[in-house]
Amino acid sequence: MMASELLEHESVSVELPPDGGFLRQPQVLRSIPVSRSTLWRWVKAGTFPAPVKLSVHVSAWRVADVRRWITERTATGGGRGW
């Protein structure tokens, strides 16, 4: 997909860049309204995609992985709205 896509979940609207892009932690947290602690707990538990290392000090999530996770959660109800 070339253009940004707007995903909506109840009252949360999320604009994500193209699938080939990456999201840093602040962008992920704007897309998934949970705390930083919860995000990392989910990553550790394997319930949220792990970030990839882009350099020694930079990690980011693939947009396609985050989009897929959001889509799966909205399709199944995901618990607590996610």
Side-chain angles (χ1 to χ4, degrees):
M1 182 178 299
M2 294 303 293
S4 294
E5 177 179 322
L6 184 66
L7 293 176
E8 293 187 20
H9 176 70
E10 295 175 5
S11 64
V12 178
S13 294
V14 180
E15 188 169 341
L16 296 175
D19 273 347
F22 292 92
L23 299 169
R24 298 294 305 274
Q25 181 177 296
Q27 294 170 298
V28 172
L29 292 174
R30 282 193 298 271
S31 303
I32 312 295
V34 297
S35 70
R36 217 175 23 199
S37 302
T38 297
L39 175 68
W40 286 105
R41 188 171 43 252
W42 288 353
V43 168
K44 184 176 180 181
T47 57
F48 191 78
V52 295
K53 286 293 257 182
L54 299 180
S55 71
V56 176
H57 299 289
V58 178
S59 294
W61 282 262
R62 290 181 182 94
V63 171
D65 293 345
V66 174
R67 180 177 280 124
R68 187 179 316 87
W69 186 89
I70 291 171
T71 302
E72 289 170 359
R73 295 306 166 286
T74 56
T76 62
R80 285 192 346 137
W82 286 101

